[in-house]
C-alpha cells in the first residue's frame, strides 16, 4: 500500500513472499549464462542472504558477467543483511545503487564506505531533487544534477527510484562510450519523467520524452 503526498510518500509493505524468495526458485544454469546480473530489493529478500547466492555471483563474475545490486531499505534494520551477508557479497559486485539513507546506514554498519571493500566498485547514490552522487575508490565523488520538476508538474514520486535504476543500467550496460556519470544523467531523466505521472507508470514512458530531458540535462552540465 502506497501513501503518496506532495512532500513525501510511505509504503506499508508485506514481506511474506519477498522473504520467501530463494535460490531454488531460479534457473541457476540460465543465470550463469547472463552477461549481467542485477539483484533488486536485496535487503528485503532475506531468503537470498546465503552462501549459495555468493557462490552464484562469484560464478557469474568468473564467466565475465558484471553484477549490480539495488539494496532498498532494510525492513528489519539489518543493513548488512542476515548474518552480515552483504559484507561477503560486496567483493563480487561491480555496482551498487542506494539512496542517501541506505548508503549512510550501510556505511555505518560496515565501519567504512562500501567501495573501500572492493577497488573498482561503483556506488551510485540517489539524492532526490539533488540528483545523483557517484562514489568510487578511484576518485572523488561526482555529482550529477537532475531536472527540477515544477510544483505544478509534479504528480507522484512512486516508481522514480526504480525508473532511475532501470535507466542507469540500460545506459551503463551499453558501453557505448558512456560513463557512470552519463548513465546517471539518463537515469535522472527517466526518474524526472516518472514524477509527472501517477503511480508506477502502467505504460512505459516514451523514449523521446526521456531523451528530451536527458539532452536538457546534458546542455545544463556543459554550460
Amino acid at each position: 500500500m502506497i501513501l503518496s503526498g506532495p512532500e513525501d510518500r510511505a509504503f506499508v509493505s508485506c514481506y511474506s513472499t519477498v522473504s520467501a524468495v530463494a535460490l531454488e526458485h531460479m534457473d541457476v544454469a540460465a543465470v550463469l549464462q547472463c552477461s549481467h546480473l542485477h539483484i533488486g530489493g536485496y535487503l528485503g529478500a532475506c531468503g537470498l542472504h546465503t552462501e549459495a547466492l555468493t557462490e552464484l555471483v562469484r560464478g557469474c563474475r568468473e564467466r565475465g558477467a558484471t553484477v549490480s545490486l539495488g539494496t532498498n531499505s532494510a525492513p528489519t534494520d539489518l543493513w548488512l543483511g542476515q548474518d552480515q551477508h552483504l559484507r561477503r557479497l560486496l567483493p563480487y559486485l561491480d555496482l551498487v545503487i542506494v539512496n542517501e539513507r541506505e548508503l549512510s546506514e550501510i556505511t555505518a554498519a560496515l565501519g567504512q564506505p562500501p567501495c573501500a571493500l572492493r577497488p573498482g566498485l561503483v556506488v551510485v547514490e540517489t539524492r532526490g531533487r539533488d540528483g545523483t552522487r557517484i562514489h568510487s575508490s578511484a576518485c572523488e565523488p561526482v555529482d550529477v544534477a537532475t531536472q527540477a520538476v515544477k510544483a505544478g508538474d509534479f504528480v507522484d514520486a512512486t516508481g522514480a527510484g526504480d525508473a532511475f535504476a532501470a535507466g542507469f543500467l540500460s545506459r551503463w550496460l551499453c558501453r557505448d562510450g558512456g560513463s557512470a556519470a552519463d548513465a546517471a544523467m539518463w537515469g535522472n531523466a527517466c526518474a524526472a519523467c516518472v514524477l509527472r505521472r501517477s503511480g508506477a507508470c502502467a505504460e512505459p514512458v516514451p523514449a523521446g520524452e526521456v531523451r528530451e530531458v536527458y539532452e536538457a540535462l546534458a546542455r545544463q552540465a556543459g554550460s
Side-chain angles (χ1 to χ4, degrees), residues 167-190:
F168 182 98
L169 288 171
S170 71
R171 194 83 170 180
W172 186 69
L173 290 170
C174 284
R175 307 291 190 184
D176 56 355
S179 62
D182 178 71
M185 198 179 302
W186 186 264
N188 285 342
C190 292

Side-chain angles (χ1 to χ4, degrees), residues 2 14 34 55 61 69 76 84 86 101 124 141 162 165 206 210:
I2 301 169
C14 175
C34 294
E55 286 303 304
R61 287 293 308 279
L69 180 141
T76 58
Q84 298 203 354
L86 182 59
R101 185 197 174 199
V124 180
D162 292 328
V210 176

Side-chain angles (χ1 to χ4, degrees), residues 6-17:
E7 296 297 331
D8 198 6
R9 70 191 193 285
F11 294 82
V12 180
S13 303
C14 175
Y15 282 92
S16 57
T17 54

